Amino acid sequence: MYRDVLAIVLAGGRGTRLDPLTRDRAKPAVPFGGIYRIIDFTLSNCINSELRRILVLTQYKATSLNRHLNQGWNFLCRELDEYVEVIPPQQRIAETWYQGTADAIYQNVYTIEKAAPRDTIILAGDHIYKMNYARMIDFHRERGADLTVACQPVPLAGAHEFGVMGVDDDGRVTSFIEKSPDPPAMPGHPDLALASMGVYVFNTDVMYELLFQDAARAEASRHDFGKDVIPRLIAEGVRIFAYPFRDENRKTAAYWRDVGTLDAYFQATMELVAVDPILNLYDRDWPIHTYLPPEPPPKFVHAAADRRGAAYDSIVCHGAIVSGGEVFRGVLSPGVRVHSYSLVEDAILFEGVDVGRGARIRRAIVDKHVHVPPGFTIGHDREQDLARGFTVSPEGVTVVSKDEDLERFV
């Protein structure tokens, strides 16, 4: 166990491109795969990597996230100096909210000092992937690095969404450009760019010095690791190394998803219902921990000639009842009800959604506790969905907000 390492998870992101799913919750708290929250993957990586001193820095609409962490991540023993501790913004150093990723760490320096870590690993709480952080920490120490940045090749066409790095033959970072409209390609690979995964391992003493230097720059810095700190460190000759992502997903291709848009989120979720999903949730050697409410097993009712309670190529979570309706390629979260003669196709139904008799849902995301009236349709008529005030993504995914009252359209 790495008792001399502190893990800090940045979980305060607004996730505006996921609206309306982030209207009442932070992006790391968005449900994923039926029973999980997005942050569960980063936290599970920590536990599976033997990192058990974890701070979660929250900020934006954190109530849902706090509740989930309190319910599902309270199993570590504080008496053994193991914990997942939620740290809300305290304005202890500055009278502002977090101005960037570096500022979020800077404003919690006193909390970090109490833990006295040799190294600090900084993580984003809004990505889906499996990674053994212990291997990265070993890599960092073997090279005597001041900072190590995890990296992953991505298609050049989408590299403008990431920080892109250049490295020399020894793996030392020579350049870093954050979200450039014209990112540089990898040498010898004109269709790829080397993207930062937002996973950083710092020598803690070096990190303190860098954070105080950045804070002193005041208005001259945006106080963000990718935008300001790392490019400046490269120019100053600080020892920064790139760590190639080693996937623990045990599939042919490395799996790492930034589900930052509705279409990316929908695609990543729907990949889970494939016969051989790209993301392996069934690996007992790398479990994904979460909170599991006390719900009964899923249930399928009716097998008569005129109606059938069935789900095909779908994920059906505990407490769900498919009663005389049919589901094709669906993700049914806990407590979902699908009533007789209804049809659900290529859809994600969050906790407690009730699909009325004869309703039809296609290519849609329906947030928590929405009652779909009998005979109602979602995702079948784009113009009708827009007229009702639903969000429709660029690729045609209809999203119904949490607690939406659909009876007013009947």
Side-chain angles (χ1 to χ4, degrees):
M1 187 179 299
Y2 288 76
R3 293 193 176 277
D4 58 352
V5 177
L6 181 68
I8 302 178
V9 181
L10 301 176
R14 288 178 176 269
T16 53
R17 295 178 299 166
L18 275 176
D19 185 80
L21 301 182
T22 51
R23 197 167 291 173
D24 296 305
R25 57 173 78 91
K27 181 181 173 184
V30 171
F32 182 83
I35 61 173
Y36 306 104
R37 303 293 183 109
I38 292 175
I39 197 173
D40 289 331
F41 290 84
T42 299
L43 293 177
S44 294
N45 287 341
C46 290
I47 298 301
N48 294 332
S49 303
E50 296 296 323
L51 300 178
R52 302 200 172 192
R53 299 200 300 165
I54 306 165
L55 302 180
V56 180
L57 307 189
T58 62
Q59 180 164 255
Y60 170 80
K61 294 186 178 179
T63 301
S64 176
L65 179 59
N66 291 345
R67 184 183 302 116
H68 175 72
L69 296 176
N70 288 334
Q71 291 174 325
W73 287 92
N74 60 357
F75 54 84
L76 297 179
C77 181
R78 191 73 197 219
E79 288 78 5
L80 297 177
D81 198 29
E82 301 175 0
Y83 51 84
V84 175
E85 184 173 355
V86 177
I87 308 294
Q90 303 173 76
Q91 298 186 359
R92 183 169 182 172
I93 293 178
E95 295 183 0
T96 61
W97 301 116
Y98 300 146
Q99 302 300 300
T101 53
D103 183 58
I105 304 300
Y106 169 70
Q107 291 203 39
N108 289 282
V109 161
Y110 294 126
T111 303
I112 299 169
E113 285 180 331
K114 287 183 180 180
R118 171 183 170 183
D119 297 302
T120 301
I121 183 167
I122 299 172
L123 307 163
D126 55 3
H127 296 150
I128 308 293
Y129 65 109
K130 297 181 181 181
M131 179 178 176
N132 190 332
Y133 301 135
R135 293 182 180 178
M136 182 176 175
I137 293 166
D138 291 341
F139 175 96
H140 171 81
R141 292 177 174 179
E142 288 166 2
R143 282 156 180 75
D146 296 317
L147 166 62
T148 300
V149 183
C151 61
Q152 160 84 343
V154 299
L156 186 63
H160 61 278
E161 296 288 343
F162 305 99
V164 174
M165 296 184 285
V167 300
D168 63 18
D169 293 339
D170 294 326
R172 190 161 175 172
V173 178
T174 57
S175 64
F176 193 103
I177 304 173
E178 180 74 9
K179 296 185 178 180
S180 168
D182 186 24
M186 294 175 59
H189 300 277
D191 296 329
L192 296 175
L194 191 61
S196 165
M197 298 173 59
V199 176
Y200 311 113
V201 177
F202 276 98
N203 174 296
T204 303
D205 289 338
V206 173
M207 182 184 73
Y208 290 149
E209 182 179 351
L210 301 176
L211 291 174
F212 280 99
Q213 289 176 357
D214 180 70
R217 292 170 60 86
E219 299 300 324
S221 174
R222 289 161 290 184
H223 310 295
D224 187 270
F225 286 120
K227 295 175 182 176
D228 304 285
V229 176
I230 296 176
R232 191 172 67 254
L233 298 182
I234 294 170
E236 295 174 357
V238 174
R239 289 179 61 82
I240 304 176
F241 284 84
Y243 175 78
F245 173 46
R246 299 179 188 178
D247 189 19
E248 295 293 334
N249 192 45
R250 296 177 176 86
K251 293 284 186 174
T252 303
Y255 186 96
W256 178 64
R257 297 287 188 274
D258 179 359
V259 288
T261 68
L262 290 171
D263 287 319
Y265 172 84
F266 182 81
Q267 178 181 347
T269 304
M270 297 311 298
E271 288 172 349
L272 299 176
V273 304
V275 174
D276 184 15
I278 300 173
L279 176 60
N280 182 10
L281 295 177
Y282 304 93
D283 182 1
R284 294 183 180 274
D285 293 329
W286 201 269
I288 307 301
H289 301 270
T290 191
Y291 168 65
L292 294 175
E295 293 271 8
K299 185 178 181 181
F300 301 83
V301 183
H302 296 304
D306 63 333
R307 58 176 171 169
R308 184 182 302 275
Y312 308 89
D313 297 325
S314 298
I315 290 174
V316 182
C317 297
H318 47 282
I321 299 177
V322 183
S323 177
E326 291 188 299
V327 180
F328 295 87
R329 299 170 304 280
V331 176
L332 276 54
S333 302
V336 166
R337 301 289 188 273
V338 180
H339 293 281
S340 292
Y341 308 109
S342 58
L343 178 61
V344 177
E345 303 171 283
D346 300 290
I348 304 165
L349 308 184
F350 283 12
E351 180 184 346
V353 169
D354 185 88
V355 182
R357 191 181 182 96
R360 293 182 299 136
I361 301 173
R362 182 175 66 191
R363 201 166 165 74
I365 305 170
V366 183
D367 208 332
K368 293 175 65 173
H369 305 309
V370 172
H371 170 65
V372 182
F376 202 83
T377 62
I378 298 171
H380 287 262
D381 186 329
R382 175 186 174 90
E383 297 306 318
Q384 184 182 58
D385 288 344
L386 290 171
R388 289 169 169 168
F390 302 158
T391 298
V392 180
S393 76
E395 294 183 14
V397 177
T398 299
V399 186
V400 181
S401 303
K402 178 183 176 182
D403 296 319
E404 182 78 54
D405 178 16
L406 302 185
E407 295 287 351
R408 59 196 175 98
F409 300 116
V410 177

